[in-house]
Amino acid sequence: SQTIHQWPATLVQPVGSPLSLECTVEGTSNPNLYWYRQAAGRGLQLLFYSVGIGQISSEVPQNLSASRPQDRQFILSSKKLLLSDSGFYLCAWSVDSQETQYFGPGTRLLVL
Amino acid sequence: AQSVSQHNHHVILSEAASLELGCNYSYGGTVNLFWYVQYPGQHLQLLLKYFSGDPLVKGIKGFEAEFIKSKFSFNLRKPSVQWSDTAEYFCAVKGGYSTLTFGKGTMLLVSP
C-alpha cells in the first residue's frame, strides 16, 4: 500500500534562516505531488504541484520554492524565512490530476 | 476560477443529534467533489467523494453527502453523531483539469 512521509514533524526557525521540508511517497510510481499550507480558519492553500521530476507549478507567488529531484520526493524550500511563513505544511499525492489526493502528516513550522 | 464556500466555521452538537454541513461551490462545468476530515492530531483523510453516477454518496463512519447540481451544493450529513466525530471537516472541489480547491473548513464539536 502507499504511504506518504513528511519531516520534520515540527520545526522552529529564526527569521532569515533557510528552510527545507521533505516529503516522500512509497508504494507508487510517478505520482502527482502537492504542497499545501493550512492556516486556522482559512482552509488549505495550494502552494505547488508537480506532475513529474523537475516539473513544478507554482500557484501562489511568495517566499517559497519547491523541487522534485526524484520521482517520489518533493521538497519545499526557502532561502530566507519570514514571520508570515509560519504555518502547517501538508504534502499530498495522487495517481494523476483527476484522482483523489492523499495527505501526509504535515510539518508545523514556527518562524520566530 | 472555482471556489468553495462552507457555511459554518464552528458547529456544536450533542451526541445522537443529526448533522448537516453545508458546502456550495462555483464552477460552470463538470466537477469532482470531496469531503475530507481531520481528527485531532491525525492526518487529513478522505471521508467520501463524488465523481459521477448516483448523487447520493456514502462514505466512511456513516457519513453521506448529496450532490445537487442545480444548487451547486454537496452537503455532508450524518443521522446521529458520536463524540468521536469531533473533527474539522473540509469540502473540496475539482473542476475540469484545474487543481483541487478547499473550503475554509468547519470545526465540529460533539459533546458527550
Side-chain angles (χ1 to χ4, degrees):
Chain A
S1 64
Q2 301 87 358
T3 55
I4 178 168
H5 304 279
Q6 287 185 245
W7 64 88
T10 306
L11 187 62
V12 181
Q13 291 284 94
V15 169
S17 64
L19 173 74
S20 181
L21 303 182
E22 189 165 342
C23 170
T24 58
V25 181
E26 297 177 357
T28 186
S29 296
N30 196 32
N32 281 15
L33 296 172
Y34 309 84
W35 277 112
Y36 289 87
R37 178 162 52 203
Q38 183 181 7
R42 297 177 62 183
L44 277 74
Q45 180 187 35
L46 179 65
L47 303 175
F48 302 94
Y49 69 94
S50 170
V51 299
I53 295 174
Q55 301 178 62
I56 309 295
S57 296
S58 174
E59 290 292 301
V60 182
Q62 55 200 313
N63 187 42
L64 302 170
S65 62
S67 62
R68 185 169 176 175
Q70 300 180 39
D71 180 45
R72 289 170 288 179
Q73 184 184 33
F74 204 23
I75 297 172
L76 183 68
S77 304
S78 174
K79 292 182 179 179
K80 287 187 177 181
L81 283 169
L82 306 172
L83 287 174
S84 58
D85 292 323
S86 294
F88 190 53
Y89 291 85
L90 289 168
C91 181
W93 73 273
S94 65
V95 171
D96 60 42
S97 64
Q98 300 304 306
E99 294 298 323
T100 303
Q101 292 183 23
Y102 298 94
F103 287 81
T107 294
R108 190 162 303 280
L109 171 66
L110 179 60
V111 182
L112 300 175
Chain B
Q2 62 193 22
S3 65
V4 180
S5 175
Q6 291 184 239
H7 309 310
N8 307 98
H9 288 175
H10 295 89
V11 173
I12 301 174
L13 295 173
S14 300
E15 274 194 315
S18 64
L19 170 71
E20 181 161 4
L21 300 183
C23 173
N24 285 89
Y25 68 92
S26 65
Y27 185 79
T30 302
V31 292
N32 293 345
L33 296 158
F34 306 82
W35 275 98
Y36 283 85
V37 60
Q38 190 169 33
Y39 297 102
Q42 295 189 26
H43 296 204
L44 193 66
Q45 58 185 283
L46 182 68
L47 198 55
L48 49 79
K49 63 184 179 183
Y50 171 81
F51 280 16
S52 64
D54 189 343
L56 184 60
V57 179
K58 295 192 183 299
I60 60 172
K61 303 187 179 185
F63 286 90
E64 65 178 29
E66 185 176 12
F67 170 48
I68 303 179
K69 188 175 181 180
S70 61
K71 295 184 178 181
F72 298 90
S73 69
F74 191 54
N75 292 354
L76 181 70
R77 300 194 294 249
K78 186 171 183 179
S80 177
V81 294
Q82 300 172 319
W83 176 78
S84 58
D85 293 324
T86 293
E88 191 162 18
Y89 294 80
F90 294 92
C91 181
V93 62
K94 187 182 185 311
Y97 288 94
S98 64
T99 55
L100 195 61
T101 298
F102 282 84
K104 294 183 178 181
T106 297
M107 182 66 70
L108 171 65
L109 177 61
V110 180
S111 57

